[in-house]
Amino acid sequence: MTVTSALSPAASTELESSLLASVPTGLLIGGQWRDASDGGTFDVEDPATGKVLATLASATSEDALSALDAADGVQAAWARTAPRERAEILRRAFELVTERAEDFALLMTLEMGKPLAEARGEVAYAAEFLRWFSEEAVRDYGRYLTTPEGKNKILVQHKPVGPCLLITPWNFPLAMATRKVAPAVAAGCTMVLKPAKLTPLTSQLFAQVMTEAGLPAGVLNVVSSSSASSISGPLMKDARLRKVSFTGSTPVGKQLMAEASRNVLRTSMELGGNAPFIVFEDADLDKAVQGAMAAKMRNMGEACTAANRFLVHESVAQEFTGKFAEAMKALRPGRGTEAGVTVGPLIDAGARKDVHALVEDAVTAGATVVTGGAPVDGPGYFYQPTVLAGVSNTAEILRTEIFGPVAPVTTFSTEEQAIAMANATEYGLAAYLYTRDYERMFRVSEQIEFGMVGFNAGVISNAAAPFGGVKQSGLGREGGSEGITEYTTTQYIGIADPYA
Ligand code: NAD
């Protein structure tokens, strides 16, 4: 299917309908698409229009347990498949997702709202996890050594963790799924995937593609549901489940960690962020503005890595803020399928209300609205791209994940102060530094408590890099050589002295 952003409304409607009709609407359990055990369903909406796009089966607790039956039933056989076979399934999946890039991009734009160009970028990023872990699957090295005493031998091998529960958020519907499914497949784990109820269509189509790529029945089971806890609750109490990998908000992550303690489940937690974007006095300001636009506006600001606090040296704050506001003003909000649109809607009415409340609170605390500052009238949940200057350090907007197209700017006078301000948060996912000074880059990176640092770079996600946070931003890493270890356990075999 070919999608261009310049289709006539009628052609575009026809294309959307035929794509939506091709997405499976059932639950994928043991290789079969089926209805929910109680016949329940839920609707998926287009956030740009509020219209219903599709109606999906809504999995119950009973369905979740059937999915675990399926995953557990094939775990032993799947763990014994050749790593090369798993690698080739992932490689075929990479090729199929790439061939169907336009379908995936349009589907994400429809259910999530991001402009098509961004959705295409996400497809490419998401597909890279399939390719990367197809390469990693055959390179999961153990080790062999002689003990320091020189007699016995130590053999260390990796084994798949076992059946995993994968829970994904709504903001990156394809990438968050491939970032978990690909390493789990590479390691030889079986899975129950629960996509976010706001954007499950992409995962439904992705699961179909994984089947086409040759993934055996039962290895990947998908249980979309309107009730997340009725899926996670019973699964996490079941001793057959061995791991939960969660991407989402910190409060839900904490709750799942508490539930995971019951059976001492392995956990990977990719949680919220509150990224500082630090512009030093020696920065190239044009590059900093370019980076700020990418770090703030990708996904309408609905990203865990989104720049949330702009900390700018007082000597360049006015110039930076002026240029940044100009770039924000030039953006064009609209439905992501329309030509020329550069900012989509927020995910729902509640999200928009929360963003506006943060802006109002900042203004009450003394901030100035340089541009934007209000919801956009009309259908859909649009919010004006906004820059706030002179934001007080006590404003809630500097403490909370904004998850919207709003950039609060505040100033600092020394490097030490910038570091202290950056660290003044319970989060520790991504941080961005703009400076021409490499020594400063190392000095500041060492002192800031963040899992990822962008140095003169506004976008840092890459399948080959370890993605993840410290503090309350989470545990574990996705991508890089670290990604597969999240899905393996280590077994040590002590071998008696062969000369004794
Ligand atoms: P969320 O926590 O509301 O939901 C995430 C997922 O958890 C969804 O599938 C949801 O259905 C499920 N869920 C919700 N309540 C649950 C419960 N009680 N038990 C089990 N599952 C439950 O988050 P969201 O609004 O979908 O996503 C936005 C959040 O995700 C932000 O905080 C963002 O920073 C974070 N995020 C983090 C990363 C990362 O890699 N660190 C990436 C993307 C998003």
Side-chain angles (χ1 to χ4, degrees):
M1 182 179 290
T2 308
V3 180
T4 72
S5 38
L7 286 173
S8 71
S12 170
T13 309
E14 201 179 308
L15 194 63
E16 288 170 21
S17 309
S18 73
L19 172 60
L20 289 168
S22 74
V23 176
T25 55
L27 312 173
L28 179 62
I29 299 178
Q32 303 293 320
W33 291 99
R34 50 159 117 154
D35 290 339
S37 54
D38 65 356
T41 59
F42 69 105
D43 291 337
V44 183
E45 266 188 21
D46 177 345
T49 60
K51 290 196 184 133
V52 173
L53 293 168
T55 301
L56 297 191
S58 177
T60 61
S61 298
E62 197 184 313
D63 296 320
L65 288 169
S66 301
L68 182 58
D69 290 344
D72 184 54
V74 299
Q75 177 60 66
W78 178 238
R80 283 196 302 273
T81 53
R84 178 67 75 204
E85 191 179 327
R86 301 198 295 266
E88 293 197 339
I89 291 169
L90 287 171
R91 177 71 203 197
R92 275 197 297 278
F94 163 74
E95 279 155 14
L96 289 172
V97 167
T98 305
E99 271 167 33
R100 296 193 64 184
E102 289 298 330
D103 287 352
F104 277 106
L106 180 57
L107 198 54
M108 281 198 283
T109 293
L110 293 179
E111 67 173 342
M112 192 275 163
K114 64 186 79 190
L116 259 181
E118 281 197 36
R120 290 181 177 126
E122 179 174 344
V123 177
Y125 170 57
E128 282 306 327
F129 287 97
L130 299 166
R131 176 153 62 175
W132 174 261
F133 285 108
S134 78
E135 293 156 352
E136 289 293 283
V138 292
R139 298 199 171 81
D140 184 26
Y141 304 118
R143 66 184 191 272
Y144 174 76
L145 69 158
T146 303
T147 59
E149 297 72 28
K151 297 191 180 327
N152 295 351
K153 307 290 178 186
I154 293 172
L155 181 68
V156 178
Q157 61 174 353
H158 295 155
K159 304 202 295 186
V161 154
C164 302
L165 170 61
L166 313 178
I167 304 179
T168 53
W170 51 263
N171 58 348
F172 292 100
L174 187 58
M176 297 303 99
T178 59
R179 221 160 74 166
K180 296 186 190 306
V181 170
V185 167
C189 294
T190 60
M191 294 150 270
V192 177
L193 169 65
K194 202 228 55 85
K197 73 172 180 218
L198 294 169
T199 62
L201 302 179
T202 306
S203 289
Q204 300 276 121
L205 186 62
F206 172 58
Q208 192 182 53
V209 163
M210 289 303 295
T211 306
E212 281 167 35
L215 195 67
V219 173
L220 172 64
N221 304 278
V222 182
V223 284
S224 293
S225 178
S226 60
S227 167
S229 55
S230 51
I231 305 302
S232 60
L235 291 186
M236 290 175 69
K237 285 191 192 117
D238 193 310
R240 295 172 299 168
L241 189 78
R242 296 299 163 80
K243 173 171 179 107
V244 58
S245 175
F246 171 77
T247 299
S249 60
T250 296
V252 175
K254 286 181 184 177
Q255 193 184 320
L256 291 173
M257 284 175 78
E259 287 177 42
S261 68
R262 183 188 179 113
N263 286 336
V264 195
L265 281 185
R266 281 277 295 274
T267 59
S268 296
M269 293 282 150
E270 296 287 350
L271 308 179
N274 180 0
F277 188 103
I278 311 178
V279 183
F280 288 98
E281 63 277 23
D282 62 341
D284 177 326
L285 288 192
D286 291 325
K287 282 192 184 154
V289 168
Q290 218 179 7
M293 291 300 291
K296 178 73 254 180
M297 293 306 293
R298 192 162 72 114
N299 235 31
M300 293 74 78
E302 295 171 315
C304 52
T305 50
N308 211 63
R309 299 172 288 151
F310 289 83
L311 315 180
V312 187
H313 190 270
E314 57 194 8
S315 65
V316 293
Q318 202 177 351
E319 188 183 348
F320 171 81
T321 309
K323 288 184 170 183
F324 190 16
E326 281 311 307
M328 290 284 260
K329 265 188 223 161
L331 295 175
R332 206 187 122 211
R335 190 167 189 246
T337 48
E338 288 164 18
V341 161
T342 46
V343 197
L346 295 183
I347 191 70
D348 60 18
R352 181 167 71 170
K353 192 161 153 265
D354 292 347
V355 167
H356 192 50
L358 288 172
V359 170
E360 286 186 320
D361 172 77
V363 170
T364 307
T368 313
V369 177
V370 186
T371 184
V376 177
D377 289 336
Y381 312 113
F382 294 93
Y383 198 85
Q384 295 172 346
T386 299
V387 176
L388 303 174
V391 178
S392 149
N393 280 330
T394 61
E396 185 58 29
I397 201 163
L398 299 182
R399 289 197 295 269
T400 305
E401 249 191 321
I402 304 169
F403 248 56
V406 178
V409 181
T410 181
T411 58
F412 65 87
S413 49
T414 64
E415 188 178 296
E416 293 66 36
Q417 199 188 0
I419 292 166
M421 286 165 80
N423 286 339
T425 170
E426 69 267 28
Y427 294 105
L429 192 61
Y432 303 89
L433 310 179
Y434 273 77
T435 172
R436 289 185 169 100
D437 180 344
Y438 276 71
E439 287 180 357
R440 171 177 265 161
M441 185 272 286
F442 282 111
R443 212 164 48 231
V444 175
S445 297
E446 274 186 20
Q447 294 176 77
I448 56 173
E449 298 170 314
F450 289 86
M452 300 179 283
V453 179
F455 171 50
N456 294 333
V459 177
I460 51 175
S461 302
N462 191 292
F467 187 106
V470 299
K471 293 163 78 179
Q472 294 190 29
S473 287
L475 300 169
R477 293 293 180 269
E478 291 189 320
S481 50
E482 289 83 352
I484 196 167
T485 62
E486 299 282 321
Y487 294 90
T488 59
T489 55
T490 300
Q491 184 177 55
Y492 148 58
I493 303 175
I495 303 168
D497 181 356
Y499 296 100

